[in-house]
Amino acid sequence: MLTKKQHELLRFIHERLKEQGVPPSFDEMKEALDLRSKSGIHRLIMALEERGFIRRLPNRARALEVVRMPESAVPGGLSLATSQRGFRPNVIEGNLGKVRPVRPEMDDEVGRPVLVPVMGRIAAGTPVSAIQSKSHTISVTPEMLSSGDHFALEVRGDSMIEAGIFDNDTVLIRRQDHADTGDIVVALIDDEEATLKRLRKRGASIALEAANPAYETRIFGPDRVQIQGKLVGLFRRY
């Protein structure tokens, strides 16, 4: 699964190659995607390369090759159905990840584990490209789930260690687009970077606070941050 910005960049590169035979420059990509800096383009290029959609050719300036397009792509571009804003994981199929209401005839099912999809990795450190598609599922007891939809993420990084969240942990997230100050949330920054941080509201600004003094608190305008979910549980292997 690609983010909206990754989709846009892949389509832009693909169309420029078809039209002119050469890929666009970083400045042209930055202008086309309305990003603030070339570093954002660099992160998108790395994400597309890691996912196998493009290839950077060695020893050649501006040398990019589109290896493949998403299955949802149509000739000349991408399907609008796939260009959803940011990381909005379509993780629920039927009762997957959702607590079902209990009816008398379901008494024999009470207490059965619920399958929750693991949607890839989340950075608890320097933000990385937004989350990938579902990789597998985990079994969660209904007692750990509240109402609504849930998904899980594998943690990479050490910025939340003082909150008891370590590298390689798996966090359980309830999907929601709002949170209170002090909540630990999945936040999407500038439609392209996802991270796990504690939310602090400072007037009209939003602060994403690490739980490790080695990392600085990052402050953004409200239009740059989308809340994707709230931490409700954690799993750890020993």
Side-chain angles (χ1 to χ4, degrees):
M1 184 176 72
L2 298 179
T3 67
K4 178 184 176 183
K5 290 295 185 183
Q6 290 165 2
H7 270 299
E8 290 176 352
L9 182 59
L10 181 60
R11 180 174 57 187
F12 182 60
I13 295 171
H14 178 65
E15 292 177 349
R16 180 61 66 88
L17 283 169
K18 285 201 308 180
E19 293 171 0
Q20 302 183 12
V22 294
S25 68
F26 270 45
D27 282 325
E28 290 171 328
M29 296 181 206
K30 180 169 69 73
E31 182 177 350
L33 271 68
D34 193 27
L35 294 182
R36 295 174 176 80
S37 68
K38 293 181 184 179
S39 62
I41 294 296
H42 179 69
R43 287 191 294 269
L44 292 173
I45 290 289
M46 289 182 61
L48 290 171
E49 187 176 29
E50 289 172 357
R51 288 158 173 77
F53 289 98
I54 65 172
R55 179 185 300 123
R56 286 188 283 188
L57 305 179
N59 304 319
R60 292 172 56 187
R62 287 177 53 181
L64 293 174
E65 176 185 16
V66 175
V67 178
R68 65 186 180 95
M69 297 292 286
E71 292 180 1
S72 54
V74 297
L78 300 177
S79 167
L80 291 177
T82 65
S83 299
Q84 50 190 327
R85 176 174 173 78
F87 166 55
R88 298 193 183 280
N90 183 18
V91 301
I92 304 304
E93 298 287 345
N95 289 318
L96 186 64
K98 182 180 292 185
V99 177
R100 292 172 293 179
V102 177
R103 301 188 301 272
E105 64 270 23
M106 296 173 58
D107 284 346
D108 60 335
E109 297 187 13
V110 175
R112 283 188 182 181
V114 177
L115 291 179
V116 173
V118 179
M119 296 300 298
R121 299 174 178 177
I122 183 73
T126 303
V128 295
S129 296
I131 305 161
Q132 304 176 34
S133 58
K134 183 179 75 174
S135 57
H136 59 283
T137 59
I138 57 174
S139 295
V140 179
T141 60
E143 290 77 12
M144 292 192 66
L145 303 175
S146 54
S147 60
D149 300 343
H150 297 76
F151 58 94
L153 296 165
E154 297 173 345
V155 174
R156 293 294 179 268
D158 61 356
S159 73
M160 298 300 291
I161 56 176
E162 291 190 2
I165 303 170
F166 302 131
D167 188 41
N168 293 319
D169 283 350
T170 298
V171 289
L172 180 63
I173 305 295
R174 182 176 64 228
R175 184 165 59 173
Q176 57 187 67
D177 59 7
H178 63 280
D180 298 322
T181 289
D183 289 342
I184 296 177
V185 301
V186 173
L188 185 70
I189 304 168
D190 292 336
D191 242 6
E192 60 180 281
E193 297 178 342
T195 189
L196 185 72
K197 292 290 183 290
R198 192 178 298 280
L199 176 73
R200 300 289 184 190
K201 297 179 181 179
R202 299 183 177 181
S205 298
I206 293 176
L208 298 178
E209 180 182 274
N212 182 337
Y215 293 84
E216 295 183 352
T217 297
R218 302 178 68 190
I219 301 176
F220 303 92
D223 59 326
R224 296 184 60 191
V225 177
Q226 299 175 58
I227 304 303
Q228 303 292 297
K230 173 184 173 181
L231 176 73
V232 295
L234 182 142
F235 304 88
R236 179 173 300 149
R237 291 192 179 94
Y238 292 94

